[in-house]
C-alpha cells in the first residue's frame, strides 16, 4: 500500500458499519499479525483475530490499543475474525464524541492508547541538586564493574 493511501486510511474516522463489526481492545500480540482481543459478542471472551495482509508491514498494534474488528460468521480456524481498522487516539476521541464508544471501555483511562510520555515539571531538575549522585543510574550487570577510586589512588 502506498504512502498516500496509508495516510488516508489512518486519517479517516472509521465507524463500525454492520452488526458483525465492533470495537475491541487488544489484550496481547501472538506474533505475526495475530492479536488477542476482548470479544463483546462472546461475553467478554478472548478471541484471536488477524491483521489483513495490506496492513502487516505498515501498521503495528500494541497491547492496550483499540481496533474495529469483524467477526466471521463461520470461522474455520482458531482465528475468528479480522481487524478492519486500528483506532488511533484521534479516532477514539471522535467515537466518544459521537456516542459510539462501547460502555465497557468508557471507564478505562485514555492512557491505555500509546502516547509519548512527558516528564512532570517537578521531576525535572536544573542539574545542580544531584549532579554527583549516580546511585539512581541503571547498572548493567553484564559488564564488569571497575572502581574509579582505585585508579585515582595509584596516580
Amino acid at each position: 500500500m502506498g504512502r498516500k493511501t496509508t495516510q488516508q486510511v489512518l486519517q479517516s474516522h472509521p465507524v463500525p458499519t454492520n452488526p458483525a463489526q465492533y470495537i475491541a481492545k487488544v489484550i496481547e500480540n501472538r506474533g505475526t499479525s495475530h492479536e488477542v482481543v476482548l470479544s463483546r459478542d462472546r461475553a467478554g471472551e478472548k478471541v484471536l483475530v488477524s491483521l489483513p495482509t495490506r496492513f502487516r508491514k505498515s501498521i503495528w498494534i500494541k497491547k492496550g490499543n483499540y481496533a474495529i474488528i469483524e467477526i466471521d460468521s463461520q470461522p474455520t480456524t482458531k482465528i475468528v475474525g479480522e481487524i478492519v481498522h486500528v483506532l488511533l487516539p484521534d479516532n477514539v476521541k471522535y467515537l466518544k464524541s459521537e456516542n459510539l464508544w462501547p460502555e465497557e471501555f468508557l471507564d478505562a483511562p485514555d492512557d491505555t492508547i500509546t502516547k509519548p510520555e512527558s516528564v512532570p515539571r517537578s521531576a525535572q531538575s536544573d542539574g545542580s541538586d544531584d549532579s554527583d549522585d549516580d546511585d539512581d543510574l541503571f547498572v548493567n550487570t553484564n559488564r564488569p564493574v571497575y572502581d574509579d577510586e582505585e585508579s585515582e589512588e595509584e596516580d
Side-chain angles (χ1 to χ4, degrees):
M1 181 174 1
R3 180 178 55 114
K4 291 181 181 179
T5 308
T6 303
Q7 290 298 323
Q8 289 174 352
V9 168
L10 290 176
Q11 293 174 355
S12 66
H13 292 293
V15 177
T17 55
N18 62 34
Q21 290 183 358
Y22 61 89
I23 298 169
K25 183 176 182 179
V26 177
I27 301 300
E28 67 180 274
N29 184 346
R30 287 274 177 99
T32 310
S33 72
H34 293 106
E35 311 293 331
V36 176
V37 299
L38 281 178
S39 172
R40 280 195 347 213
D41 66 340
R42 296 181 183 216
E45 182 182 336
K46 296 178 184 179
V47 295
L48 189 64
V49 295
S50 67
L51 191 64
T53 55
R54 65 181 180 161
F55 294 131
R56 287 186 183 167
K57 299 215 181 209
S58 59
I59 296 177
W60 289 269
I61 303 175
K62 289 186 175 181
K63 176 181 168 181
N65 285 2
Y66 296 97
I68 295 178
I69 65 170
E70 184 170 354
I71 298 295
D72 296 334
S73 58
Q74 299 294 326
T76 58
T77 61
K78 290 182 181 180
I79 301 172
V80 298
E82 188 173 68
I83 296 174
V84 176
H85 199 284
V86 178
L87 297 175
L88 301 175
D90 294 336
N91 303 128
V92 172
K93 287 179 186 176
Y94 174 76
L95 290 169
K96 285 181 179 179
S97 68
E98 296 293 321
N99 294 327
L100 298 172
W101 194 251
E103 293 178 10
E104 56 263 18
F105 299 136
L106 280 177
D107 58 345
D110 291 337
D111 299 341
T112 56
I113 299 176
T114 343
K115 295 179 184 176
E117 294 182 12
S118 60
V119 178
R121 291 184 183 254
S122 61
Q124 295 175 349
S125 65
D126 57 352
S128 62
D129 296 339
D130 56 345
S131 61
D132 294 332
D133 186 20
D134 292 336
D135 293 336
D136 58 343
L137 293 177
F138 172 74
V139 177
N140 187 354
T141 58
N142 295 326
R143 302 282 183 203
V145 178
Y146 298 108
D147 291 330
D148 292 335
E149 296 172 5
E150 292 177 7
S151 62
E152 291 175 3
E153 293 173 4
E154 293 174 1
D155 292 337

